[in-house]
Amino acid sequence: MDELLERLAEIADLERMAMLLAWDQEVVMPPAGAEARGELRATVGRLSHERFIDERVGELLESAAPRDELEADVVRVARRDFDKARRVPGELVAEMARAGVAARGVWLVARQTNDFALFAPHLERNIELRRRYSACFPEAEHPYDPLLDDFEPGMSTAELREALERLRDGLVPLVAAAPDVDASLLRAGPFPEAGQRALVTTVLRAVGVDDEQWRLDDAAHPFEATIATNDVRLTTRYDEAELDSLYSSLHEFGHGLYEHQVDPALARTSLGTGASSAWHESQSRLWENMVGRSPGFWRWCFPHARAALPERFAGATWQEVQRAANAVRPSLIRVSADEVTYGLHIVLRFELELALIEGSLAVADLPAAWNERTQAYLGLDVPDDVRGVMQDVHWAEGIFGYFPTYALGNVIAGQVWARLNADLPDLDERFAAGEFAPLREWLAEHVHRFGRRLLPTDLLQRVTGEGLDPTPYLDYLEAKVQTSAQLMS
Amino acid sequence: MDELLERLAEIADLERMAMLLAWDQEVVMPPAGAEARGELRATVGRLSHERFIDERVGELLESAAPRDELEADVVRVARRDFDKARRVPGELVAEMARAGVAARGVWLVARQTNDFALFAPHLERNIELRRRYSACFPEAEHPYDPLLDDFEPGMSTAELREALERLRDGLVPLVAAAPDVDASLLRAGPFPEAGQRALVTTVLRAVGVDDEQWRLDDAAHPFEATIATNDVRLTTRYDEAELDSLYSSLHEFGHGLYEHQVDPALARTSLGTGASSAWHESQSRLWENMVGRSPGFWRWCFPHARAALPERFAGATWQEVQRAANAVRPSLIRVSADEVTYGLHIVLRFELELALIEGSLAVADLPAAWNERTQAYLGLDVPDDVRGVMQDVHWAEGIFGYFPTYALGNVIAGQVWARLNADLPDLDERFAAGEFAPLREWLAEHVHRFGRRLLPTDLLQRVTGEGLDPTPYLDYLEAKVQTSAQLMS
C-alpha cells in the first residue's frame, strides 16, 4: 500500500509539473523558449503516463490492502483510471496527439481564408481516431460513452442526451422571450486598464484571494493553474472596450477555489483535484454568473467599480449595471455569449459531435448542419464558417466529449445554487455586505473537500439529494428573464 | 544508440525541470506553496537520478556504437557520469541530503546567537558523510579528489593546491600594496531603485539580452537559470545604498550567455551545459570584472549611468567611477569583497576544507584557524563567528569542493582574458563604443559552443594553449593596483 501511495504521489507530482510548465509557457516564458518547452512537456507527459500504466502499478493495485476509507477511495479511483489507461495502445495515444497538433495547424490556416474544405480531412482523421479510441472499450453502450467518461467519469451518453434535450427545450423559448436590454455599461468602454486592474484586485481580495497562496497574472487566453493546494494561479486579460476581465477573473477564481479547498489529505493522491470537468465548470460559472451577476454582488461592488472606473460608471446606478450584466442577446460566437444563450451554443455542438462520432453526420455536411441549428436555436444566420463551425479549437485538437461539460456545469451549478439558497437564505444580503466567506465555506464543506473521492453523479446526489436535472437552472434563468422583462415594461 | 540518446534527453529534460522549479520558487511562487514545492523538487530529482543509474542505461552505454564525433563525446561523458553515480549508494546520497537540510537549519539558528558550538556537531556530520562519499572511490589519490571532481571533472587536488598556493602568494603582497581608494561613488547611495532598473536594462540590452530569449527578474539572492538555450533567466536585487545590481546583473549575464551559446546540437544530451563550475564562474567573473570594471566599459556606460542616476553621478566623471569600481579594501565578508581580496577569501576556505576532509583539522579548532588565516591573508581581526567561519551556507549544506571553483574561475578568466586581448587588441575601444558583440562571438567560438564536450583542463588547453596558471590573472590585478597607486600619487 505504501509503495502504491508513493507511486501515485509521484504521478500526481508529475501532473503538477505539467501544469507549471503550461502556466510558465503562457505567462512568463520568453517566446523563443517554445520549441524546447514542447519537448519538456512531452517528456513530463510521457513519464507520467509510463509510470502509471507500468506493470508494477497493476500488481500494487491488485494486492492493495487499504487501511482506511481514504485509502479505499484512492485504490478504487486508481483502479478505474488504470484500467482505462491500460486499454488504449500507446501507439493510438501518440497518433491522436500528432493528428491533433497537425489538425490544429491546418485549422489556423483554414480560418484565415474561411476554407472548411481544407480543414475537413484533418477533422475526419480526428474523428476516425476517436472512434478507434472508443472501440478499445467494446462493452460501451454508445461509442460516445468512453469519450464522455474521460471528462465525466461514469456518465452515460443517454443520460447526458436527455438532460441536454430538456435544457435545450427550456432555453429556446426563454431566448425568444428575453427583452433586448442595453448592455453597453459593461460592453462598451472606455474601461482604462489601470482601473480594471484595481477593480479586479478589489473583487478577488473580497472573494478570498491573498498573496500568500494565490497569484493573478495576464494571459492571452485566461486560465487557472493549480500548482499546489496553496499555490493557485489565476490569469485574466484586459480589453479596454469591455469589462470582461471582471467576469473572467471570477470564473477562474471559481476553478481555483475548488482546487484550493480540496481536503489537504488528498494531496499527492489521484483524488486531489476536482470531481470532473462539469463539476469544475459548475464552480467557475457559479462565481462568474450566480454570484457576479446577482443584485447583492452589484450593490456591494458598484462603489468600487465607480471608484476604479469613473469614466464609465460616474453617472450610473448599481441597478443599471446589474441589469446590463444580465442582458440576453443571441450572437454567433460562443465565448462571448451571454448566460442564457450560452447553453444553446453548447447543445448545438454536443448534438453535432455526437452525430459525427456515431457516423450519422458526414464531415462534409457539418457546416450546413451547424448553420441550420444556429438558425433553429438562436434565430441567426451564419455568414461564414469562421464565425460558424470553425470558431472553436476543440474539434481541431481532437477533443470530443468535452463541449457538453460546459452545459452540464451550468446545470449542476443551478442545482447547487438552489440547495445553497435553501441552506443560506440571506446569501444575497451577505454579498451586498461584501461577505463571501459563508459561500466559500459552504462550498468547501459540501463540494470541494471531496476532490475526486466521489463520482460526479454521486457527488451531485450527496450535495442536492437529486440526479441530474436542468429544472433549477432553467428556473434561475427564467426568473432573470422575467425580471428584465418587468423592468422594460 | 537512439534509445540511449532518448534516455539521456529525458534526463536532460528533468534537469531543466528542476531548474524551472527552483526559478519559479525564488521568483514567482506564492510563499505558501513552499511545502508542496519541496515534494515536487524531490520527486523530479529522484526520478532524474533513478532514470540515470538504471541498469538499462548501463547496458546501453556498454553496447553504444556512436555514429559520429558528437555521439562519441556523449557516450564518453555519460559513461563517466554513470560510473560515478553508480558507485555511490542511494542510501548515502539520501543521508547527505537529509544531513545537509538539518545542518542548514541549525546553522541559521546558530548564526543568530553566534553559537558555533551548536553548529559544530552538524558540520562534523557533514564532513563525515563526505569522507564516506570519497571512500566510494578508493582509487582516488586524495580524499578531496572525488569531491572536487563533482565540480571540476578530472582535476586533482594536487594540481588545484599548487595553483591556489601561487595565487595566494601573489595576492597577499598585492593586497598589502593596494592604495585605499574611495569607493563611495558606487558603494554609498542614493541609488534610487527606478534609476538602477533603467541602468541595468540599458546595460543588459547592450551586452546582448533581448526579450525574445531572456528574462530579468528580482530575487533575494541573485542567480541565473537556464530553462533552455533560448530561455535564459537572470535575476538581481536592488539596494538603494549601493550599485551592486549592475555588477550582479553582469555576473549572472556571464553565466547565462555561456548556456545560451552552447552549440544547439548539444541540447537534450548530457553535454548541453557549461564545462565545469570554474569555467562557469570564469564567464560570470569575466563580464562582471574584466568587462564591467574596464575603462572602455565606463567610458560607454557613464552617460547612461548619469542619465539614470543623476542623484549620484551628476557631478562625477567616468574616470572617477571606474576608479571606484576598482577599489581594493580588505573586508570580512566574502560576498561583498572586491576583486583583489576575493581570491584570498577563497584560498582560506579551500585550505580549511581540505584540512577538514583530510582530518588534519578538527571542527573544534576551525574558528581559531579561520581567524588566524584572516589575519595572515587580509590583516583583519574577526570579531565573531557570524562574520567569520559561519558566514557562508556551503559547509552547512555539506558542499565541499565547490569553494575553490570560485578562485579557479578567476584564474581561468585571467587566462582567457589574456588570450582574448591578444586576439582582439581593440577590445577596450569596442566597449567604449558600446560594442560587445565581438567579445560575445569570440567566447561562443572559443569556449561556449563546446558545452561539456571537453574536460575543463582540455578546454583550457584548447583556448589558451596552456595548463592552469594564475600568472595572467595576477598580472591583470597587479596592473590595476599599479594604476590606482599612480593615480593616488
Side-chain angles (χ1 to χ4, degrees):
Chain A
M1 192 67 213
D2 282 329
E3 189 184 340
L4 176 65
L5 290 175
E6 247 175 63
R7 182 65 79 102
L8 295 175
E10 178 187 291
I11 289 154
D13 283 345
L14 286 168
E15 280 165 5
R16 296 304 193 186
M17 284 286 353
M19 189 64 95
L20 180 62
L21 285 171
W23 178 87
D24 183 89
Q25 179 161 12
E26 297 301 321
V27 177
V28 294
M29 187 187 77
E35 196 184 327
R37 181 54 52 94
E39 301 282 6
L40 270 191
R41 291 178 71 168
T43 294
V44 168
R46 198 188 56 247
L47 262 177
S48 149
H49 182 69
E50 274 177 15
R51 303 284 292 171
F52 183 55
I53 61 158
D54 193 33
E55 300 282 344
R56 182 69 190 145
V57 175
E59 292 162 21
L60 292 169
L61 284 170
E62 193 77 31
S63 64
R67 291 160 297 198
D68 57 28
E69 229 176 290
L70 172 55
E71 289 189 355
D73 287 347
V74 168
V75 171
R76 184 176 42 74
V77 172
R79 276 189 185 140
R80 191 180 198 285
D81 293 345
F82 181 79
D83 291 338
K84 194 154 190 198
R86 285 279 288 193
R87 282 167 65 181
V88 184
E91 263 306 288
L92 179 57
V93 174
E95 181 96 31
M96 290 195 300
R98 273 195 299 272
V101 170
R104 188 182 192 280
V106 174
W107 171 77
L108 285 169
V109 175
R111 276 170 59 85
Q112 283 167 11
T113 49
N114 190 40
D115 186 354
F116 181 77
L118 180 68
F119 175 52
H122 292 271
L123 179 54
E124 272 163 7
R125 176 80 179 134
N126 279 347
I127 292 164
E128 190 227 320
L129 288 168
R130 262 58 195 183
R131 290 167 60 89
R132 276 174 53 198
Y133 179 85
S134 283
C136 300
F137 305 90
E139 76 283 10
E141 282 178 26
H142 191 285
Y144 193 81
D145 278 354
L147 301 170
L148 178 62
D149 187 86
D150 282 350
F151 305 105
E152 294 303 308
M155 176 160 295
S156 73
T157 303
E159 185 183 6
L160 174 65
R161 178 151 38 187
E162 198 235 314
L164 295 196
E165 271 170 13
R166 287 176 55 203
L167 180 67
R168 180 196 63 199
D169 295 345
L171 286 178
V172 170
L174 214 50
V175 169
D180 193 17
V181 172
D182 177 11
S184 59
L185 267 172
L186 292 169
R187 293 201 166 197
F191 299 106
E193 189 178 312
Q196 290 193 51
R197 288 185 187 273
L199 178 60
V200 165
T201 303
T202 300
V203 170
L204 287 181
R205 290 215 179 286
V207 293
V209 165
D210 64 64
D211 289 340
E212 270 295 301
Q213 307 179 86
W214 301 72
R215 283 186 65 91
L216 173 68
D217 294 277
D218 296 3
H221 300 282
F223 66 102
E224 181 272 335
T226 307
I227 312 304
T229 308
N230 293 324
D231 178 357
V232 183
R233 304 180 184 192
L234 313 179
T235 63
T236 190
R237 66 178 158 202
Y238 302 90
D239 175 349
E240 302 214 331
E242 53 178 19
L243 197 52
D244 199 44
S245 61
L246 175 65
Y247 285 104
S248 114
S249 300
L250 280 170
H251 182 97
E252 302 309 334
F253 169 73
H255 284 302
L257 184 68
Y258 192 174
E259 297 285 319
H260 182 59
Q261 296 199 131
V262 168
D263 181 354
L266 308 186
R268 306 187 77 229
T269 73
S270 3
L271 308 180
T273 186
S276 73
S277 299
W279 268 102
H280 242 298
E281 195 70 8
S282 79
Q283 298 307 295
S284 57
R285 301 288 281 184
L286 190 145
W287 284 92
E288 176 189 355
N289 293 332
M290 276 94 174
V291 177
R293 301 183 199 277
S294 66
F297 177 83
W298 275 109
R299 276 161 68 195
W300 165 78
C301 184
F302 183 68
H304 301 291
R306 194 173 46 196
L309 295 159
E311 302 82 354
R312 193 65 193 96
F313 294 128
T317 65
W318 75 260
Q319 289 90 341
E320 287 165 347
V321 180
Q322 198 246 337
R323 277 187 72 204
N326 289 285
V328 179
R329 183 178 298 172
S331 65
L332 289 168
I333 305 299
R334 174 183 64 86
V335 294
S336 53
D338 61 73
E339 201 182 354
V340 178
T341 56
Y342 190 84
L344 291 172
H345 286 271
I346 297 306
V347 170
L348 176 155
R349 284 156 179 75
F350 165 66
E351 291 174 349
L352 296 178
E353 73 176 23
L354 190 62
L356 290 168
I357 294 295
E358 282 177 348
S360 58
L361 175 65
V363 166
D365 301 327
L366 179 61
W370 179 286
N371 298 349
E372 184 202 311
R373 279 183 214 226
T374 303
Q375 179 54 248
Y377 298 165
L378 294 165
L380 296 175
D381 285 327
V382 179
D384 53 54
D385 292 335
V386 178
R387 281 173 282 183
V389 70
M390 289 201 294
Q391 70 182 263
D392 296 304
V393 74
H394 303 60
W395 292 341
E397 289 183 342
I399 301 172
F400 293 84
Y402 189 73
F403 270 133
T405 72
Y406 291 129
L408 268 188
N410 285 327
V411 167
I412 292 172
Q415 293 184 258
V416 171
W417 189 244
R419 181 76 254 161
L420 246 165
N421 282 282
D423 281 8
L424 305 172
D426 65 342
L427 208 49
D428 201 68
E429 283 302 315
R430 296 299 196 100
F431 296 166
E435 292 169 19
F436 300 94
L439 172 57
R440 278 203 313 274
E441 286 156 17
W442 191 97
L443 291 170
E445 172 65 21
H446 293 84
V447 178
H448 297 171
R449 67 187 173 98
F450 297 106
R452 286 180 79 209
R453 291 186 76 165
L454 300 169
L455 280 177
T457 45
D458 295 339
L459 180 59
L460 188 64
Q461 195 68 44
R462 176 165 187 139
V463 179
T464 67
E466 298 162 5
L468 199 60
D469 179 8
T471 312
Y473 183 58
L474 285 167
D475 289 347
Y476 154 85
L477 291 181
E478 197 176 349
K480 282 197 177 188
V481 169
Q482 275 175 0
T483 306
S484 276
Q486 281 159 10
L487 287 167
M488 290 290 277
S489 61
Chain B
M1 193 65 213
D2 283 330
E3 188 184 340
L4 177 65
L5 290 175
E6 248 175 61
R7 182 64 79 102
L8 295 175
E10 178 186 291
I11 289 155
D13 283 345
L14 286 168
E15 280 165 7
R16 297 303 194 186
M17 286 284 353
M19 189 63 94
L20 180 62
L21 285 171
W23 178 87
D24 183 89
Q25 179 160 14
E26 297 301 321
V27 177
V28 295
M29 186 187 78
E35 196 183 326
R37 181 55 51 94
E39 300 282 4
L40 271 191
R41 292 179 70 168
T43 294
V44 169
R46 197 188 55 247
L47 263 176
S48 149
H49 182 69
E50 274 177 16
R51 302 284 292 170
F52 183 56
I53 62 159
D54 193 32
E55 299 283 345
R56 182 68 190 145
V57 175
E59 291 163 22
L60 292 169
L61 283 170
E62 194 78 29
S63 64
R67 291 160 296 199
D68 56 27
E69 230 176 290
L70 173 56
E71 290 188 355
D73 286 348
V74 168
V75 171
R76 183 175 42 76
V77 171
R79 275 187 187 144
R80 193 180 196 285
D81 292 345
F82 182 79
D83 291 339
K84 196 155 187 196
R86 286 278 289 192
R87 283 167 65 181
V88 184
E91 264 305 288
L92 178 57
V93 173
E95 182 94 31
M96 290 195 299
R98 274 195 298 271
V101 170
R104 189 183 193 280
V106 173
W107 171 78
L108 284 169
V109 175
R111 277 170 58 87
Q112 284 167 12
T113 49
N114 189 40
D115 187 353
F116 181 78
L118 181 68
F119 174 51
H122 292 271
L123 179 55
E124 273 163 8
R125 176 78 179 138
N126 279 346
I127 293 165
E128 191 227 319
L129 288 168
R130 262 58 194 182
R131 290 168 61 90
R132 276 173 54 197
Y133 178 86
S134 285
C136 300
F137 306 90
E139 76 284 9
E141 281 178 27
H142 191 285
Y144 193 80
D145 278 355
L147 301 170
L148 178 62
D149 186 88
D150 282 349
F151 306 105
E152 295 303 307
M155 176 160 295
S156 73
T157 303
E159 185 184 5
L160 174 65
R161 178 150 40 185
E162 199 234 313
L164 294 195
E165 271 171 13
R166 287 176 56 202
L167 180 67
R168 180 196 63 199
D169 295 345
L171 286 178
V172 170
L174 213 52
V175 170
D180 192 17
V181 172
D182 177 11
S184 59
L185 267 171
L186 292 169
R187 294 202 164 196
F191 299 105
E193 190 179 310
Q196 290 193 51
R197 289 184 186 273
L199 178 60
V200 164
T201 303
T202 301
V203 170
L204 287 181
R205 290 214 180 287
V207 294
V209 165
D210 64 64
D211 289 341
E212 271 295 301
Q213 308 179 86
W214 301 73
R215 282 185 66 90
L216 173 69
D217 294 278
D218 297 2
H221 301 282
F223 67 102
E224 182 271 336
T226 308
I227 311 305
T229 309
N230 293 325
D231 178 357
V232 183
R233 304 180 183 192
L234 313 179
T235 63
T236 190
R237 67 179 157 200
Y238 302 91
D239 174 349
E240 302 215 329
E242 51 179 20
L243 198 51
D244 201 44
S245 60
L246 175 64
Y247 286 104
S248 112
S249 300
L250 281 170
H251 181 97
E252 302 309 335
F253 169 73
H255 284 303
L257 185 68
Y258 192 174
E259 297 284 320
H260 182 58
Q261 296 199 132
V262 168
D263 181 354
L266 308 186
R268 306 187 77 228
T269 73
S270 3
L271 307 180
T273 185
S276 73
S277 298
W279 267 103
H280 241 297
E281 195 69 7
S282 79
Q283 298 307 295
S284 57
R285 300 289 280 183
L286 190 145
W287 284 93
E288 176 189 356
N289 293 331
M290 275 94 174
V291 177
R293 301 182 200 279
S294 67
F297 176 83
W298 276 107
R299 276 161 68 195
W300 166 77
C301 185
F302 183 68
H304 300 291
R306 195 174 43 198
L309 295 159
E311 302 81 355
R312 193 66 192 96
F313 293 129
T317 65
W318 74 259
Q319 290 91 341
E320 287 166 346
V321 179
Q322 197 246 336
R323 277 187 72 201
N326 288 286
V328 179
R329 185 178 296 172
S331 64
L332 290 167
I333 305 298
R334 175 183 64 84
V335 294
S336 54
D338 61 74
E339 200 182 356
V340 179
T341 57
Y342 190 84
L344 291 172
H345 286 272
I346 298 306
V347 170
L348 176 155
R349 284 157 179 74
F350 165 65
E351 291 173 349
L352 296 178
E353 74 176 23
L354 190 61
L356 290 168
I357 294 294
E358 283 177 348
S360 59
L361 175 66
V363 166
D365 300 328
L366 179 61
W370 179 288
N371 298 348
E372 185 202 310
R373 279 182 213 225
T374 303
Q375 180 53 247
Y377 299 164
L378 295 165
L380 296 175
D381 285 326
V382 179
D384 53 54
D385 292 334
V386 178
R387 281 172 284 182
V389 70
M390 288 201 295
Q391 69 181 262
D392 296 304
V393 74
H394 302 59
W395 292 341
E397 290 183 342
I399 301 172
F400 293 83
Y402 189 74
F403 270 132
T405 71
Y406 291 129
L408 269 187
N410 286 327
V411 167
I412 292 171
Q415 293 183 259
V416 170
W417 189 243
R419 182 75 255 161
L420 246 165
N421 282 282
D423 281 8
L424 305 172
D426 64 342
L427 209 48
D428 201 68
E429 283 302 314
R430 294 300 196 99
F431 296 166
E435 292 168 20
F436 300 95
L439 172 57
R440 277 203 313 274
E441 286 156 17
W442 190 97
L443 291 171
E445 172 63 21
H446 293 84
V447 179
H448 297 171
R449 67 187 173 100
F450 297 106
R452 287 180 78 209
R453 290 186 75 165
L454 299 169
L455 279 177
T457 45
D458 295 339
L459 180 60
L460 189 63
Q461 195 68 42
R462 177 165 186 140
V463 179
T464 66
E466 298 162 4
L468 199 61
D469 179 8
T471 312
Y473 183 59
L474 286 166
D475 289 348
Y476 155 85
L477 291 181
E478 198 176 348
K480 283 197 176 186
V481 168
Q482 275 176 1
T483 306
S484 276
Q486 280 160 9
L487 288 166
M488 289 292 277
S489 62

